[in-house]
Each structure stands twice: as C-alpha cells, then as structure tokens.
Amino acid sequence: MIKTILLNSRPEGKPSVSNFEFKTEDIELTIKEGELLLETEYVSVDPYLRGRMSNAKSYVPPFELNQPVQSGVIAKVSSSKNDNFKEGDYVSGMLSWKTLQVSNGEGLNKVDPSKAPLSAYLGILGMTGLTAYCGLTEIGQPKKGETLVVSGAAGAVGSVVGQIGKILGLRVIGIAGSDEKIELLKSKFGFDAGINYNTTKDMTAAIAEAAPNGVDIYFDNVGGPISDAVLVNINRLARIIVCGAISVYNNTEAPKSLSVQPFLVKNSALMQGFIVSNYAEKFPEAMTQLTSWLAKGKLIYSETIVEGFDNIPQAFIDLFEGKNKGKMVVKI
Ligand code: NDP
C-alpha cells in the first residue's frame, strides 16, 4: 500500500487541506539496475513551499497540479540496485510526499543516525541550520557587541540565528507571536530580550526600548509591519538580511509596506535577500561549525514533531498559525 499527497488546486490566500489530494494505491514497486526503493521516515514542511504552490515565477518552478508535492525528506533505503547505497542506509533529499518511492540516487545524501537524530538532518543539520549560519555570517557580517534583531525568532531558522548571534557576542532581540515563545527564547535559547508582536501595540517603540543602542543587524523572516518597525530603528551601516517574508506569503493583494529607500540611504544601510543555495560553497564550513557548537552544547535546537503521513498538509498549514516551536517535521 502506497500513500501519496498531490497538489489538487493552487491555494488562494491561506492554504487549506482541500488544496491537497490523498491517494492510496495497492501496488508493488520494483526497482531496475541503478535504482533504490525508499521508505519515507520524516518529511519537512517549510514556509517556502507556499510559493511553489502558486503559479508565480520564482527561483524554483511551481509544483504541477495533480502531481505529488515535494520537500525535504529523510528516507530509509529498503532495497537497492545502486552501488552508492545499500539496504538500511538513511538518506536525505528533495523527495515526493509518498510513503514509498523509487529513486535513481541523484541528489540524495547519506545521513548517519548514530551522529544525530534523523529529524535533525531536516533542521539544524539541514537547510535550516545552513540558512541561519550563511545568512547571518555572510550578509550580517556580525561584530561583537552589535545588536541583532531576529523576526520569526522562535521558528526553525530564527531560533538558530539568535543562538549563533549570542555565540558571536551580539545582543540578541527576538520577535515572535506568543508570550510562551518569548519565554522560550529567553530561557532556552539565551536571547537577551523578546517582543510578542501579537500583544505589542507600538512595535517601533518596543524595539527602540529593547535595542537602546539601535539595530545593527536585522535577520528578517517575516516581512510586513514587523519589519517596517525594525527598519525605523536601524543604525548607520546596518545590515538587513532578508531571508523570508512569511507574513505576506498568503496575501492576495500587493502588501502595503514602508518605503525602505530613505532608511537605507540615510543610514548607508545594506538590505539583501538570499537563497541558501547561493552559499553552497560555504556549506562544509557551516556544517563543521554547527556540528561543533552542537557537540559542545553551545547550540541547541527544538522541533515540533507531528505524527502521521496524512497530517503533512495540516502541519504545513499550521506554520502560518505559528503552531510550531523550532523546526516543524512530520514523522511517518
Ligand atoms: P518557521 O519555523 O519560522 O515557521 C514559521 C513561523 O512564522 C511560525 O511559527 C510563526 O511564528 C511565524 N509566522 C507565521 N505567520 C506570521 C505572520 N503573519 N507574521 C509574523 N510571523 C508569522 O519557518 P522557517 O524557520 O522554516 O522559515 C522562516 C523564514 O525563512 C520563512 O520566511 C522562510 O520562507 C524563510 N526561509 C528562507 C530560506 C532562504 O534560503 N532564503 C531557507 C529557509 C527558510 P509566530 O508564532 O512567531 O508568529
């Protein structure tokens, strides 16, 4: 029995479970020479998948309708006719939302469950950790004593960015959507201050208060009004790292935002977007550093693990409701 989740229709605004089709087939998969059979263990759900569900041109092509959705997956090799992989190996790769699938091995990386829990390869030791490390160090150019503001701070990328900021000697302020998350940022991840954007009336004033010396680096995961309020507080030569803009991913109309130019000009500030794959050459260094900080206990990570293949779409939708703390992952 093989289960598959296909994109049934393109979401208008917030995605819903009805945008997905659940298919169950009673078929036996066979593999040819060079192929391997993969059994899905963990599926990553990520905000960027929302972009691939619409038809708009982007850095990756849109998902095709009535085809399986794909994301980062950890799978077990259940049989192999490919010399690079053997039965029992674990791999990570961009794979389909299927319980079982055939691959030719292209784009798969072996992962070692004895070194870290399998789910970590979708988060701290996967795209999440690399995004946090490369974005902060390459664009942020952090210097000891500076002030870093992180939005989406209790999420997968944000919680890692803030901790790296602390390791590098920065004052770190996190913005997130609940008091519970703010408490977590301070007590578990070592942030210096936190702001709950859902209960704070004047975000500009709250950021000014939390960052009395102004903001030198802003790691932006959310865009929208939260980012406008940070922009008003930036210092001369500030660096604004534009990682994502989840607050506008479900917009059906063009967002109304502050005009950024005057703030950039008067502060000689840098604002740069990026895609983690831009920094592929830096990945080995990033992985070495992240692994070392993890081993020393300087870096910790948190996960929200949802159980069950059928719950993948809902777990994805819940990202837009802030139901996750740390990396949202589905265990099959
Ligand atoms: P998260 O784990 O941060 O999950 C999403 C979080 O976003 C939620 O928990 C929620 O937290 C917050 N959120 C949801 N809606 C809103 C809103 N309207 N306004 C403010 N916050 C909101 O996801 P990731 O860490 O995986 O991704 C974070 C960002 O980084 C995303 O924008 C993503 O697209 C981007 N990204 C970019 C990459 C790149 O290469 N450039 C690579 C990976 C991710 P809360 O409760 O605080 O609202």
Side-chain angles (χ1 to χ4, degrees), residues 100-118:
L100 263 182
Q101 58 200 297
V102 175
S103 161
N104 61 9
E106 257 174 52
L108 297 182
N109 291 307
K110 279 190 212 173
V111 296
D112 185 348
S114 71
K115 293 217 168 103
L118 285 171

Side-chain angles (χ1 to χ4, degrees), residues 59-70:
Y59 58 94
V60 270
F63 290 125
E64 283 179 37
L65 286 180
N66 306 312
Q67 293 296 320
V69 182
Q70 290 192 326

Side-chain angles (χ1 to χ4, degrees), residues 47 131 155-157 176-177 181 197 221 243-245 247 249 274 276 319 322 324:
T131 302
V157 174
K181 287 187 179 184
Y197 71 89
N221 283 314
C243 176
S247 76
Y249 289 174
F274 77 104
V276 61
L319 289 171
N324 60 310

Side-chain angles (χ1 to χ4, degrees), residues 45-48 59 127-128 131 152-158 175-178 181 197-198 219-222 226 242-249 274-277 318-328:
V45 288
D46 305 271
Y48 81 89
Y59 58 94
M127 184 177 72
T128 298
T131 302
V157 174
I175 301 173
S178 71
K181 287 187 179 184
Y197 71 89
N198 277 320
F219 196 105
D220 188 3
N221 283 314
V222 306
I226 293 172
V242 186
C243 176
I246 191 167
S247 76
V248 299
Y249 289 174
F274 77 104
I275 303 299
V276 61
S277 53
D318 285 347
L319 289 171
F320 297 92
E321 299 289 334
K323 296 215 173 133
N324 60 310
K325 294 187 202 90
K327 180 78 191 94
M328 182 79 107

